Structure formats: C-alpha cells, structure tokens
Amino acid sequence: PESLYEEIGGQATVEAITNNFINEVSFNETIYRYFEKTNIKRFREKFIEHFCVSTGGPCTYTGDTMLKVHQGQKINETDFNTTVDLLVSAMAKAGLTYPQQNRVLKVLAPMRSDMIYK
Ligand code: HEM
C-alpha cells in the first residue's frame, strides 16, 4: 500500500508542513525561546528528513537522535504539548485531513519519552 508520505503528497507537502511549523514556532514566545540559538537552516533540513522517514518516505535521516537533540533542554509536558499543537496547525494548513494528522502523531508518539524531561 501507498505510504503515508505518498498519501499526503510527498516531499512538497513535507516541506510545506516544515515551513508552516517553523512559522508557528516563531510566533509562539514560549516555544521560540527553545530555538533562539538554533541554526534554522539545519533544523529545517533535518526536520524534513525526519518527517519523511517517519511517514515511510524514501529519505535518509542524517540528523542526531531525538534523545541527543532534545537532551539538556528540559522540555516539560506543557511545552511538549504546545509544540505538538503547533505541528498539528502546520499539518492542517498544509491540507492534511484529521485522520492523516493523527497517523503522523501516532508515529511520533513513541519518541516522546526521548524528548521530555531530559
Ligand atoms: C513533536 C515532536 C518533535 C519532533 C519530531 C522533533 C524533531 C526534531 C528534529 C528532527 C530536530 C533536528 C535534529 C538535528 O538537528 O540533528 C529537532 C531539533 C530541535 N528540537 Fe525538536 N522535535 C520535537 C519536539 C520538540 C519540542 C517539544 C521542543 C521544545 C519545546 C523541541 C525543540 C527543539 C530544538 C530547540 C531543536 C534544535 C536543537 C539545536 O539547536 O541543536 N523539539 N527536533
């Protein structure tokens, strides 16, 4: 069967989601604070790769592990949930249906324990 990556529209859609997500983060004072020292060009590249692989696309993830990247940031549950909300908005604006958004969240959910309270 077609991958979720193909179903949502492939690379163009993944790039749109990522651009929307970066935009959402930039307008959220609490979450933006985490990214103040981040190289956004790198973040964009790695996030696209990560999203592509997570949804079954034909990409290679060349970034660091979710544990390594989020370690030391002391991300709490509230800020984690806010970030997920920003990602959901980014996906909705890129045209993903609710079921498609939920399938993405289901794939990302097991990674939560590597990002939170580390
Ligand atoms: C929703 C699940 C999340 C996913 C899939 C995700 C994914 C990623 C990816 C792929 C990178 C780039 C890795 C690299 O550069 O090698 C990254 C970096 C980063 N993430 Fe997340 N992330 C998530 C949640 C969060 C949350 C909740 C926060 C903070 C509230 C956060 C803050 C950051 C920051 C600040 C960086 C850049 C770190 C740096 O400057 O080196 N992320 N994330």
Side-chain angles (χ1 to χ4, degrees):
E2 200 183 41
S3 64
L4 178 55
Y5 171 88
E6 294 296 343
E7 189 190 309
I8 63 177
Q11 197 64 9
T13 305
V14 172
E15 289 179 11
I17 291 166
T18 304
N19 291 339
N20 293 345
F21 180 60
I22 291 169
N23 197 46
E24 296 279 338
V25 167
S26 74
F27 284 111
N28 186 296
E29 274 186 47
T30 305
I31 305 306
Y32 177 74
R33 221 170 285 139
Y34 287 90
F35 288 89
E36 264 174 348
K37 290 178 185 155
T38 294
N39 175 342
I40 297 298
K41 184 173 181 285
R42 177 194 160 102
F43 174 79
R44 185 177 180 279
E45 279 171 18
K46 305 305 181 193
F47 194 90
I48 288 169
E49 288 176 2
H50 186 268
F51 199 101
C52 173
V53 172
S54 298
T55 53
C59 307
T60 304
Y61 178 60
T62 63
D64 294 314
T65 64
M66 290 300 95
L67 178 60
K68 189 176 178 210
V69 174
H70 300 96
Q71 199 153 33
Q73 297 197 45
K74 305 251 189 290
I75 299 168
N76 63 30
E77 198 159 2
T78 304
D79 290 352
F80 182 85
N81 291 341
T82 301
T83 307
V84 171
D85 286 346
L86 298 180
L87 182 59
V88 167
S89 296
M91 292 193 286
K93 286 176 182 168
L96 271 67
T97 64
Y98 286 116
Q100 289 168 342
Q101 293 168 31
N102 285 332
R103 282 164 69 193
V104 172
L105 296 181
K106 199 174 167 185
V107 178
L108 299 181
M111 301 172 195
R112 179 182 183 276
S113 59
D114 283 341
M115 303 173 182
I116 203 165
Y117 298 124
K118 295 290 175 186

